[in-house]
Structure formats: structure tokens, C-alpha cells
Amino acid sequence: MNVSLVIPFVVAVDGPAGSGKSSVSKEVARRLDFGFLDTGAAYRALAWHAEASGVDTDDAASVVSCLDSFDYRIGTDPTGYAVHVGEVDVTEAIRDPQISAVVSAVARVPEVRRHLIELFRSIMAAVDAPGIIVEGRDITTVVAPDAPVRILLTASEAVRMSRRSAELTGSSVEAVGEQLRKRDAADSKVVDFMTAADGVTTVDSTELDFDQTVDAVIGVIRAAQLALAQRHDARGAQISEETP
Ligand SMILES: Nc1ncnc2c1ncn2[C@@H]1O[C@H](COP(=O)(O)OP(=O)(O)O)[C@@H](O)[C@H]1O
Ligand SMILES: Nc1ccn([C@@H]2O[C@H](COP(=O)(O)OP(=O)(O)O)[C@@H](O)[C@H]2O)c(=O)n1
């Protein structure tokens, strides 16, 4: 892996299912020429790998036993990235409702989380871009708690359900809503992604359309960059005053 010596500017985005994390973060990354990392894809791909290996996803020890053979790759280009497990392109397969139904069981296993968090950090460090937007459930609190920008992207449950069901043709709004609610409830037992931790800015997109949400996120990033630049300038001025 090609690890850059320059640390990329990290934007951490968390939030519940269907809040717009992936689509909004991708568009923000495109506009800023940043990389993009969808961390949920790794949990989904591991669930796919466990199922393909004939493993019971409810059995934590069996899921952990799959980690050794989990050969995972994901791109960080927001204009298009593929997800691979070994030689298999699972980009589409991991979005299947069957994977959504079992992914939380895989994601609650502490050894799985430790393994994937290390992987995310190495992908972030190796990104070939001035910055990277990383989205998931625990990015602002666990994966990148020191990121210069940390955002909780939320929307009301009703809005999230209707957005998600509009994407999934062939599934009823009720069925999509029920699955989303179950997954949020299971995921909430592992990480709190419904309330913003200290220093995390909430962007509520309930009343915003897609472009307005993208603009709101870019606004938070620009404000943080400006504050950092001002702090840097003030420190520079202080050092030159102190230097005889
Ligand atoms: N502010 C918004 N207004 C309308 N639709 C949105 C908005 N944000 C996201 N969407 C749409 O909602 C759906 C779910 O978004 P997605 O990015 O997959 O959410 P998440 O990654 O949080 O699960 C997508 O079809 C996306 O285009
Ligand atoms: N940082 C993360 C990202 C995802 N996940 C798990 O992975 C699942 C799929 O994540 P996702 O980002 O694809 O889900 P959506 O929010 O897009 O529906 C979640 O339901 C969580 O169980 C996690 O535990 N931690």
C-alpha cells in the first residue's frame, strides 16, 4: 500500500441508515476533490463473505473465523468505486436486502470491529488526495475522533424510510421501513449515532433537498478550514513576536 507522508484532511460523517451519508458524502468529496470511504461496505462485504462461506452470521465465533480469509478491497474515488472480496466484485451484491438483514449481527462482534477499524485507518492514511470523507456509524467517535471536521448527518425516521424505499424497487415502503427500524435499533446497541458527541456538528436534512444538504456539509467543512487557518496564522504571528 502506498502510504503518503502528508496526512490527509479527514472529514468524519456518521448517521443512521438512509440519512444520506453515502450519497451526500460522495458528492461533497467530488466537489472538493477529496477521496471517499464508505465503511458500511466493509461490514456488508464481510456479511456477504460469511454467507458465501456457509457461516451462521448469528454465531460470533464463526464470523470471527471468516476474518482470516476476508480479502477485502474498496476504492476511494467518489466518482465510482468497486468493492471486491478476493476476485469477486460484490459492489451490487452487498446492497441486497438479505445482506442488510444480517449485517448488524456481523457488525456487533468486537473482534470484527477492531479488525475493520484498523483497515479503515490504513485506507485513510494511504489516500491519494488532499482529504478524505469517511462515513459510517462510529467514524466521529471511534475511527477518527481527532478528525478536524466531524458531522452527524440525520433526518427524521419517516423521511429516511421514504428516501430508502424510493431506491429499492420491488420492496414495499412498509417492508423497507421495518427493516431500517430493526437495523437502526440493533446498530444503536453497539454505537450511539443518534446524538452528536462533543465537538460534532449535526446537519439535519429532514427539511433540506439533496443539494441543500451537500451545501450545508460543505459549509461546515469550510468553516472548520477557516478556523484552522486562523489558528495557524495566530500561532505564526505569536512565534515571530517571540523570536528576537
Ligand atoms: N437531502 C436529501 N434529500 C432528498 N434525498 C436525499 C437527501 N439525502 C439523501 N437522499 C437520497 O436518500 C437515499 C438514501 O441516501 P444514502 O446516501 O444511501 O443514505 P445512507 O448512506 O445514510 O444510508 C439516496 O437515494 C439519496 O439519493
Ligand atoms: N462505521 C460503521 C459502518 C457500518 N456499520 C454497520 O454496517 C451496516 C451497513 O452500513 P451502511 O453504511 O451500508 O448502511 P446504510 O446506513 O447505508 O443503510 C450498518 O447497519 C452497521 O451495522 C457499522 O457498524 N459501523
Side-chain angles (χ1 to χ4, degrees), residues 114-166:
R114 276 196 293 277
H115 184 94
L116 293 186
I117 288 166
E118 283 312 307
L119 185 76
F120 301 147
R121 289 183 180 149
S122 63
I123 296 173
M124 285 157 61
V127 76
D128 188 18
I132 184 163
I133 308 201
V134 188
E135 58 92 1
R137 297 284 189 285
D138 60 346
I139 314 304
T140 63
T141 51
V142 180
V143 177
D146 299 326
V149 183
R150 295 183 300 147
I151 295 171
L152 182 70
L153 186 56
T154 60
S156 72
E157 192 177 82
V159 160
R160 292 189 288 111
M161 283 177 191
S162 78
R163 286 178 189 162
R164 195 30 79 78
S165 61

Short mmCIF file of all heavy atoms in Angstrom, two decimals, residues 114-166:
data_model
loop_
_atom_site.label_atom_id
_atom_site.label_comp_id
_atom_site.label_asym_id
_atom_site.label_seq_id
_atom_site.Cartn_x
_atom_site.Cartn_y
_atom_site.Cartn_z
N ARG A 114 -12.68 -4.27 15.61
CA ARG A 114 -11.25 -3.94 15.75
C ARG A 114 -10.53 -4.14 14.42
O ARG A 114 -9.76 -3.29 13.97
CB ARG A 114 -10.61 -4.83 16.82
CG ARG A 114 -10.81 -4.29 18.24
CD ARG A 114 -9.86 -4.96 19.21
NE ARG A 114 -10.15 -6.38 19.39
CZ ARG A 114 -11.07 -6.85 20.24
NH1 ARG A 114 -11.77 -6.03 20.98
NH2 ARG A 114 -11.28 -8.15 20.34
N HIS A 115 -10.80 -5.27 13.78
CA HIS A 115 -10.13 -5.61 12.52
C HIS A 115 -10.45 -4.57 11.44
O HIS A 115 -9.55 -4.07 10.76
CB HIS A 115 -10.63 -7.01 12.10
CG HIS A 115 -9.97 -7.56 10.89
ND1 HIS A 115 -8.89 -8.38 10.94
CD2 HIS A 115 -10.25 -7.40 9.57
CE1 HIS A 115 -8.52 -8.72 9.72
NE2 HIS A 115 -9.33 -8.13 8.87
N LEU A 116 -11.73 -4.23 11.31
CA LEU A 116 -12.12 -3.31 10.23
C LEU A 116 -11.67 -1.87 10.51
O LEU A 116 -11.29 -1.14 9.60
CB LEU A 116 -13.63 -3.38 9.97
CG LEU A 116 -14.09 -4.73 9.39
CD1 LEU A 116 -15.56 -4.68 9.01
CD2 LEU A 116 -13.27 -5.14 8.16
N ILE A 117 -11.67 -1.48 11.79
CA ILE A 117 -11.23 -0.11 12.13
C ILE A 117 -9.76 0.08 11.73
O ILE A 117 -9.39 1.11 11.16
CB ILE A 117 -11.48 0.18 13.64
CG1 ILE A 117 -12.97 0.34 13.88
CG2 ILE A 117 -10.72 1.42 14.10
CD1 ILE A 117 -13.41 0.29 15.33
N GLU A 118 -8.94 -0.93 11.98
CA GLU A 118 -7.52 -0.86 11.54
C GLU A 118 -7.45 -0.70 10.03
O GLU A 118 -6.66 0.09 9.50
CB GLU A 118 -6.76 -2.13 11.96
CG GLU A 118 -6.38 -2.17 13.41
CD GLU A 118 -5.72 -0.87 13.87
OE1 GLU A 118 -4.74 -0.45 13.23
OE2 GLU A 118 -6.20 -0.27 14.85
N LEU A 119 -8.27 -1.48 9.35
CA LEU A 119 -8.29 -1.43 7.88
C LEU A 119 -8.68 -0.03 7.40
O LEU A 119 -8.06 0.55 6.51
CB LEU A 119 -9.30 -2.47 7.39
CG LEU A 119 -9.41 -2.67 5.90
CD1 LEU A 119 -8.21 -3.48 5.42
CD2 LEU A 119 -10.69 -3.45 5.57
N PHE A 120 -9.72 0.55 8.01
CA PHE A 120 -10.18 1.90 7.60
C PHE A 120 -9.06 2.92 7.80
O PHE A 120 -8.84 3.77 6.95
CB PHE A 120 -11.41 2.35 8.40
CG PHE A 120 -12.60 1.43 8.27
CD1 PHE A 120 -13.50 1.25 9.33
CD2 PHE A 120 -12.84 0.74 7.10
CE1 PHE A 120 -14.58 0.40 9.21
CE2 PHE A 120 -13.93 -0.12 6.97
CZ PHE A 120 -14.80 -0.28 8.04
N ARG A 121 -8.37 2.80 8.94
CA ARG A 121 -7.31 3.79 9.22
C ARG A 121 -6.19 3.66 8.20
O ARG A 121 -5.61 4.67 7.78
CB ARG A 121 -6.78 3.61 10.65
CG ARG A 121 -7.82 4.07 11.66
CD ARG A 121 -7.29 3.97 13.08
NE ARG A 121 -8.31 4.42 14.02
CZ ARG A 121 -8.44 3.95 15.25
NH1 ARG A 121 -7.62 3.02 15.70
NH2 ARG A 121 -9.39 4.41 16.04
N SER A 122 -5.88 2.45 7.77
CA SER A 122 -4.80 2.33 6.78
C SER A 122 -5.27 2.84 5.42
O SER A 122 -4.50 3.46 4.69
CB SER A 122 -4.25 0.90 6.72
OG SER A 122 -5.25 0.04 6.29
N ILE A 123 -6.51 2.64 5.08
CA ILE A 123 -7.03 3.17 3.79
C ILE A 123 -7.01 4.71 3.83
O ILE A 123 -6.59 5.38 2.89
CB ILE A 123 -8.46 2.65 3.50
CG1 ILE A 123 -8.45 1.13 3.30
CG2 ILE A 123 -9.05 3.35 2.26
CD1 ILE A 123 -9.84 0.50 3.18
N MET A 124 -7.43 5.28 4.97
CA MET A 124 -7.45 6.75 5.11
C MET A 124 -6.04 7.32 4.95
O MET A 124 -5.83 8.32 4.26
CB MET A 124 -7.99 7.14 6.50
CG MET A 124 -9.48 6.99 6.64
SD MET A 124 -9.97 6.79 8.38
CE MET A 124 -9.42 8.30 9.10
N ALA A 125 -5.07 6.68 5.58
CA ALA A 125 -3.70 7.20 5.55
C ALA A 125 -3.10 7.11 4.15
O ALA A 125 -2.22 7.90 3.80
CB ALA A 125 -2.83 6.42 6.53
N ALA A 126 -3.58 6.14 3.36
CA ALA A 126 -2.96 5.91 2.04
C ALA A 126 -3.64 6.67 0.92
O ALA A 126 -3.21 6.58 -0.23
CB ALA A 126 -3.01 4.41 1.74
N VAL A 127 -4.68 7.43 1.24
CA VAL A 127 -5.47 8.05 0.15
C VAL A 127 -4.61 9.05 -0.65
O VAL A 127 -3.81 9.79 -0.08
CB VAL A 127 -6.75 8.73 0.69
CG1 VAL A 127 -6.45 10.04 1.37
CG2 VAL A 127 -7.76 8.91 -0.42
N ASP A 128 -4.80 9.02 -1.97
CA ASP A 128 -4.02 9.88 -2.85
C ASP A 128 -4.87 11.12 -3.19
O ASP A 128 -5.28 11.30 -4.33
CB ASP A 128 -3.66 9.08 -4.11
CG ASP A 128 -2.70 9.85 -4.98
OD1 ASP A 128 -2.07 10.80 -4.48
OD2 ASP A 128 -2.59 9.49 -6.17
N ALA A 129 -5.15 11.93 -2.19
CA ALA A 129 -5.99 13.14 -2.36
C ALA A 129 -5.69 14.04 -1.17
O ALA A 129 -5.16 13.57 -0.15
CB ALA A 129 -7.47 12.74 -2.37
N PRO A 130 -6.01 15.35 -1.28
CA PRO A 130 -5.70 16.24 -0.15
C PRO A 130 -6.55 15.95 1.09
O PRO A 130 -6.21 16.36 2.19
CB PRO A 130 -6.01 17.64 -0.70
CG PRO A 130 -6.81 17.43 -1.94
CD PRO A 130 -6.54 16.05 -2.45
N GLY A 131 -7.67 15.25 0.90
CA GLY A 131 -8.52 14.94 2.03
C GLY A 131 -9.35 13.71 1.75
O GLY A 131 -9.35 13.19 0.63
N ILE A 132 -10.06 13.24 2.77
CA ILE A 132 -10.94 12.09 2.57
C ILE A 132 -12.18 12.24 3.44
O ILE A 132 -12.09 12.68 4.59
CB ILE A 132 -10.20 10.75 2.85
CG1 ILE A 132 -11.13 9.56 2.54
CG2 ILE A 132 -9.66 10.68 4.27
CD1 ILE A 132 -10.40 8.23 2.38
N ILE A 133 -13.33 11.90 2.87
CA ILE A 133 -14.57 11.90 3.65
C ILE A 133 -14.88 10.45 3.99
O ILE A 133 -14.95 9.60 3.09
CB ILE A 133 -15.73 12.53 2.85
CG1 ILE A 133 -15.27 13.89 2.34
CG2 ILE A 133 -17.00 12.60 3.69
CD1 ILE A 133 -16.33 14.85 1.99
N VAL A 134 -14.99 10.18 5.27
CA VAL A 134 -15.20 8.80 5.73
C VAL A 134 -16.56 8.76 6.39
O VAL A 134 -16.84 9.56 7.29
CB VAL A 134 -14.11 8.39 6.74
CG1 VAL A 134 -14.21 6.91 7.07
CG2 VAL A 134 -12.73 8.73 6.22
N GLU A 135 -17.42 7.84 5.95
CA GLU A 135 -18.76 7.83 6.55
C GLU A 135 -19.13 6.47 7.11
O GLU A 135 -18.68 5.44 6.61
CB GLU A 135 -19.80 8.32 5.53
CG GLU A 135 -19.89 7.54 4.23
CD GLU A 135 -20.89 6.42 4.22
OE1 GLU A 135 -21.58 6.21 5.23
OE2 GLU A 135 -20.96 5.73 3.19
N GLY A 136 -19.92 6.50 8.19
CA GLY A 136 -20.36 5.25 8.82
C GLY A 136 -21.19 5.52 10.06
O GLY A 136 -22.04 6.42 10.07
N ARG A 137 -20.94 4.70 11.10
CA ARG A 137 -21.71 4.84 12.34
C ARG A 137 -20.84 5.37 13.49
O ARG A 137 -21.35 6.02 14.40
CB ARG A 137 -22.27 3.48 12.78
CG ARG A 137 -23.25 2.84 11.83
CD ARG A 137 -24.61 3.52 11.92
NE ARG A 137 -25.62 2.78 11.19
CZ ARG A 137 -25.73 2.77 9.87
NH1 ARG A 137 -24.92 3.48 9.14
NH2 ARG A 137 -26.69 2.07 9.28
N ASP A 138 -19.54 5.02 13.44
CA ASP A 138 -18.66 5.31 14.58
C ASP A 138 -17.43 6.08 14.14
O ASP A 138 -16.38 5.99 14.78
CB ASP A 138 -18.23 3.99 15.25
CG ASP A 138 -17.48 3.08 14.27
OD1 ASP A 138 -17.53 3.34 13.05
OD2 ASP A 138 -16.83 2.13 14.72
N ILE A 139 -17.51 6.80 13.03
CA ILE A 139 -16.32 7.47 12.50
C ILE A 139 -15.96 8.68 13.38
O ILE A 139 -14.80 8.88 13.72
CB ILE A 139 -16.53 7.93 11.03
CG1 ILE A 139 -17.16 6.80 10.20
CG2 ILE A 139 -15.20 8.38 10.42
CD1 ILE A 139 -16.42 5.50 10.21
N THR A 140 -16.98 9.45 13.78
CA THR A 140 -16.70 10.66 14.59
C THR A 140 -16.24 10.31 16.00
O THR A 140 -15.60 11.11 16.67
CB THR A 140 -17.95 11.57 14.70
OG1 THR A 140 -18.98 10.86 15.39
CG2 THR A 140 -18.46 12.00 13.33
N THR A 141 -16.61 9.12 16.46
CA THR A 141 -16.34 8.77 17.87
C THR A 141 -15.22 7.76 18.05
O THR A 141 -14.51 7.80 19.04
CB THR A 141 -17.62 8.20 18.53
OG1 THR A 141 -18.13 7.16 17.67
CG2 THR A 141 -18.67 9.27 18.72
N VAL A 142 -15.05 6.83 17.11
CA VAL A 142 -14.08 5.74 17.30
C VAL A 142 -13.00 5.70 16.22
O VAL A 142 -11.82 5.65 16.52
CB VAL A 142 -14.81 4.36 17.35
CG1 VAL A 142 -13.81 3.23 17.55
CG2 VAL A 142 -15.88 4.34 18.43
N VAL A 143 -13.42 5.73 14.96
CA VAL A 143 -12.44 5.56 13.87
C VAL A 143 -11.54 6.79 13.73
O VAL A 143 -10.32 6.66 13.62
CB VAL A 143 -13.15 5.24 12.53
CG1 VAL A 143 -12.15 5.13 11.39
CG2 VAL A 143 -13.96 3.96 12.65
N ALA A 144 -12.16 7.98 13.77
CA ALA A 144 -11.37 9.21 13.58
C ALA A 144 -11.85 10.30 14.54
O ALA A 144 -12.32 11.37 14.12
CB ALA A 144 -11.48 9.69 12.14
N PRO A 145 -11.73 10.05 15.87
CA PRO A 145 -12.25 11.04 16.83
C PRO A 145 -11.49 12.37 16.79
O PRO A 145 -12.00 13.38 17.28
CB PRO A 145 -12.08 10.34 18.19
CG PRO A 145 -11.03 9.31 17.97
CD PRO A 145 -11.13 8.88 16.54
N ASP A 146 -10.28 12.36 16.21
CA ASP A 146 -9.49 13.60 16.14
C ASP A 146 -9.61 14.30 14.79
O ASP A 146 -8.85 15.23 14.52
CB ASP A 146 -8.00 13.29 16.38
CG ASP A 146 -7.79 12.69 17.77
OD1 ASP A 146 -8.53 13.09 18.68
OD2 ASP A 146 -6.91 11.81 17.91
N ALA A 147 -10.52 13.85 13.96
CA ALA A 147 -10.68 14.47 12.63
C ALA A 147 -11.00 15.96 12.79
O ALA A 147 -11.76 16.33 13.70
CB ALA A 147 -11.80 13.78 11.87
N PRO A 148 -10.46 16.83 11.93
CA PRO A 148 -10.73 18.27 12.06
C PRO A 148 -12.17 18.65 11.77
O PRO A 148 -12.63 19.69 12.20
CB PRO A 148 -9.78 18.90 11.04
CG PRO A 148 -9.39 17.80 10.12
CD PRO A 148 -9.48 16.53 10.89
N VAL A 149 -12.89 17.77 11.04
CA VAL A 149 -14.33 18.02 10.82
C VAL A 149 -15.09 16.74 11.15
O VAL A 149 -14.78 15.66 10.63
CB VAL A 149 -14.63 18.39 9.33
CG1 VAL A 149 -16.11 18.70 9.16
CG2 VAL A 149 -13.80 19.56 8.88
N ARG A 150 -16.08 16.87 12.04
CA ARG A 150 -16.89 15.70 12.42
C ARG A 150 -18.36 16.11 12.36
O ARG A 150 -18.77 17.10 12.96
CB ARG A 150 -16.52 15.21 13.81
CG ARG A 150 -15.08 14.67 13.86
CD ARG A 150 -14.73 14.13 15.22
NE ARG A 150 -14.83 15.14 16.25
CZ ARG A 150 -15.19 14.91 17.50
NH1 ARG A 150 -15.52 13.69 17.89
NH2 ARG A 150 -15.25 15.89 18.37
N ILE A 151 -19.11 15.33 11.58
CA ILE A 151 -20.51 15.69 11.32
C ILE A 151 -21.42 14.51 11.61
O ILE A 151 -21.11 13.37 11.24
CB ILE A 151 -20.66 16.11 9.83
CG1 ILE A 151 -19.87 17.39 9.56
CG2 ILE A 151 -22.13 16.28 9.44
CD1 ILE A 151 -19.78 17.79 8.09
N LEU A 152 -22.57 14.80 12.23
CA LEU A 152 -23.62 13.79 12.37
C LEU A 152 -24.73 14.19 11.40
O LEU A 152 -25.33 15.26 11.55
CB LEU A 152 -24.16 13.76 13.80
CG LEU A 152 -25.23 12.70 14.05
CD1 LEU A 152 -24.63 11.30 14.02
CD2 LEU A 152 -25.89 12.92 15.41
N LEU A 153 -24.94 13.36 10.39
CA LEU A 153 -25.97 13.65 9.39
C LEU A 153 -27.24 12.89 9.77
O LEU A 153 -27.24 11.66 9.83
CB LEU A 153 -25.47 13.22 8.01
CG LEU A 153 -26.34 13.56 6.81
CD1 LEU A 153 -26.62 15.05 6.73
CD2 LEU A 153 -25.67 13.10 5.51
N THR A 154 -28.29 13.65 10.04
CA THR A 154 -29.53 12.99 10.48
C THR A 154 -30.70 13.41 9.59
O THR A 154 -30.58 14.33 8.77
CB THR A 154 -29.91 13.39 11.93
OG1 THR A 154 -30.10 14.81 11.96
CG2 THR A 154 -28.86 12.99 12.92
N ALA A 155 -31.82 12.74 9.76
CA ALA A 155 -33.09 13.12 9.14
C ALA A 155 -34.15 12.33 9.90
O ALA A 155 -33.82 11.30 10.52
CB ALA A 155 -33.11 12.75 7.65
N SER A 156 -35.38 12.80 9.86
CA SER A 156 -36.42 12.10 10.61
C SER A 156 -36.58 10.68 10.07
O SER A 156 -36.26 10.40 8.90
CB SER A 156 -37.75 12.84 10.47
OG SER A 156 -38.24 12.65 9.16
N GLU A 157 -37.09 9.79 10.92
CA GLU A 157 -37.23 8.39 10.51
C GLU A 157 -38.13 8.27 9.27
O GLU A 157 -37.82 7.52 8.34
CB GLU A 157 -37.80 7.57 11.68
CG GLU A 157 -37.71 6.08 11.44
CD GLU A 157 -38.21 5.29 12.63
OE1 GLU A 157 -39.44 5.11 12.76
OE2 GLU A 157 -37.38 4.85 13.43
N ALA A 158 -39.22 9.05 9.26
CA ALA A 158 -40.16 8.96 8.13
C ALA A 158 -39.49 9.35 6.81
O ALA A 158 -39.64 8.69 5.78
CB ALA A 158 -41.37 9.85 8.40
N VAL A 159 -38.71 10.42 6.86
CA VAL A 159 -38.01 10.89 5.65
C VAL A 159 -36.97 9.87 5.20
O VAL A 159 -36.84 9.55 4.02
CB VAL A 159 -37.38 12.29 5.92
CG1 VAL A 159 -36.29 12.60 4.95
CG2 VAL A 159 -38.45 13.36 5.89
N ARG A 160 -36.24 9.30 6.16
CA ARG A 160 -35.20 8.32 5.80
C ARG A 160 -35.83 7.08 5.15
O ARG A 160 -35.32 6.55 4.17
CB ARG A 160 -34.40 7.91 7.05
CG ARG A 160 -33.57 9.07 7.59
CD ARG A 160 -32.62 8.65 8.67
NE ARG A 160 -33.23 8.34 9.95
CZ ARG A 160 -33.30 7.14 10.49
NH1 ARG A 160 -32.82 6.08 9.86
NH2 ARG A 160 -33.87 6.96 11.66
N MET A 161 -36.97 6.66 5.69
CA MET A 161 -37.64 5.49 5.13
C MET A 161 -38.13 5.75 3.72
O MET A 161 -38.01 4.91 2.84
CB MET A 161 -38.81 5.09 6.00
CG MET A 161 -38.38 4.37 7.23
SD MET A 161 -39.79 4.03 8.23
CE MET A 161 -38.97 3.51 9.71
N SER A 162 -38.72 6.94 3.52
CA SER A 162 -39.26 7.18 2.18
C SER A 162 -38.12 7.34 1.16
O SER A 162 -38.23 6.88 0.03
CB SER A 162 -40.25 8.34 2.16
OG SER A 162 -39.55 9.54 2.18
N ARG A 163 -36.99 7.92 1.58
CA ARG A 163 -35.85 8.03 0.65
C ARG A 163 -35.32 6.64 0.30
O ARG A 163 -35.04 6.35 -0.85
CB ARG A 163 -34.72 8.84 1.29
CG ARG A 163 -35.01 10.32 1.34
CD ARG A 163 -33.85 11.03 2.03
NE ARG A 163 -34.16 12.42 2.30
CZ ARG A 163 -33.49 13.17 3.17
NH1 ARG A 163 -32.49 12.66 3.85
NH2 ARG A 163 -33.82 14.43 3.35
N ARG A 164 -35.17 5.80 1.30
CA ARG A 164 -34.61 4.46 1.07
C ARG A 164 -35.56 3.61 0.23
O ARG A 164 -35.14 2.89 -0.66
CB ARG A 164 -34.33 3.82 2.42
CG ARG A 164 -33.43 2.61 2.53
CD ARG A 164 -32.35 2.45 1.56
NE ARG A 164 -31.13 3.19 1.68
CZ ARG A 164 -30.13 2.92 2.51
NH1 ARG A 164 -30.20 1.94 3.35
NH2 ARG A 164 -29.03 3.63 2.47
N SER A 165 -36.87 3.71 0.51
CA SER A 165 -37.80 2.85 -0.24
C SER A 165 -37.92 3.31 -1.69
O SER A 165 -38.17 2.51 -2.59
CB SER A 165 -39.17 2.76 0.43
OG SER A 165 -39.73 4.03 0.48
N ALA A 166 -37.67 4.61 -1.94
CA ALA A 166 -37.69 5.09 -3.33
C ALA A 166 -36.57 4.45 -4.15
O ALA A 166 -36.69 4.27 -5.36
CB ALA A 166 -37.54 6.61 -3.36
#
